[in-house]
Amino acid sequence: MFNDKVILITGGTGSFGKKCVEIMLESYKPKKIIVFSRDELKQFEMSQRYNDPCMRYFIGDVRDKNRLLQAFNGVDYVIHAAALKQVPIAEYNPTECINTNINGAINVIEACIERGVKKVIALSTDKAASPINLYGATKLASDKLFVAGNHLSGGTTQFSVVRYGNVVGSRGSVVPFFQKILDEGAKSLPITDTEMTRFWLRLEDGVGFVLKSFQRMFGGELFVPKIPSVRITDLARAMAPNLDQHLIGIRPGEKIHEVMCPKDTDYMTLEFDDHFVIKPSFQLFNKDIDYVTNKLGQVGKPVERGFEYNSGINPHFLNCEEISQSI
C-alpha cells in the first residue's frame, strides 16, 4: 500500500524514523518519504546515509501549524513520532512537554485534515496507560486527540494510535545505558528494583507493526502488539553474567511493571492473534464499523473482564540466553 505514495514522518530523525525509512526503502517503492523534524544536524547526518531520490528532508516543528501545512501538501500517510519523551525533563519543563506533545498533536491533526491526508498513525507509549508522570499524561491526551480526530474529519482522514513500551537499544533505554557503564569498567550494574519488568520490543518489529497497522485500520483503534517481557535482573545478568548487581531505588515517575492495556479499558479491548485493539469509547464518524474484524479480515474477540496487559503477568518472558541473542 506504500508503493507510489507520499509518506511523512514527524520526528523522523529519531530511532523509529531511521529504521522506518530503511525498511520502506528496502520493501516498497514510495513516491516520496518526507522526514519532518527540527534538528538540522540530525537531518544532515541522516541524509548522508539515506539519500535515495525519493527522500525529502523538511526542517520544522510540530508546534508550527503553518509549517506543517506546507509539509503536508500532497501527503498520503503520516506517522507522528515527534514528542518530548524524557520523563524527568518533562517534569522539570512541563509547559514545553505540553506544547509539543499536546498542542503539537492538535496541529498535526488539523493540518492532516486540511491537507486531505488519507491515513495517520500516532506513536504512543505504555506510560500513557494509567499515567503517573507528566509525559504519560500528555501522551494519553495525545492518544485521545488522535482518536477524536476521526470525528473532526468525518472519517475522511483516518486516525489511529500504536502503543508500545521501550524499544530495545533506543536512546534513553536501559540496554545502551548498561553498555555504556560496562564500557567504562563498571564493577556492578545498578538495578532500580529486583521485581521490575519491561516489555521487550526490537525496533524493526515496532516499525513492522506500525506499517501493518496502516493496513488493518478503520480509524479510531489503539493498536498494542503482543510482545515478550524481561526481568531487569535477567537483562543485567545477560549483559554482564559475571558482575554483581546493586539496588539504587526506583526513579521518580517510574513504574515497577509496564501496562499497555489497563483494566479500565477491558470492555473496549479486543484480542487478535498477535495484537490487541482498544476500541474508541464512542463512535460518531462511522457507527457501522465493526472492529472485531479488521481490514485484513483478521478476527478478534473481547477480552475477559478485569483483563490487563501488564509486563509483570505476561505469559511470555525471555530467559537470559534469549535476551543475549536478541541484543
Side-chain angles (χ1 to χ4, degrees), residues 35-47:
V35 172
F36 183 97
S37 70
R38 61 183 184 176
D39 192 317
E40 60 177 331
L41 177 59
K42 289 179 183 176
Q43 285 201 10
F44 172 76
E45 293 171 343
M46 187 173 175
S47 68

Side-chain angles (χ1 to χ4, degrees), residues 77 148 240 247 274:
Y77 306 127
L247 285 175
D274 65 347

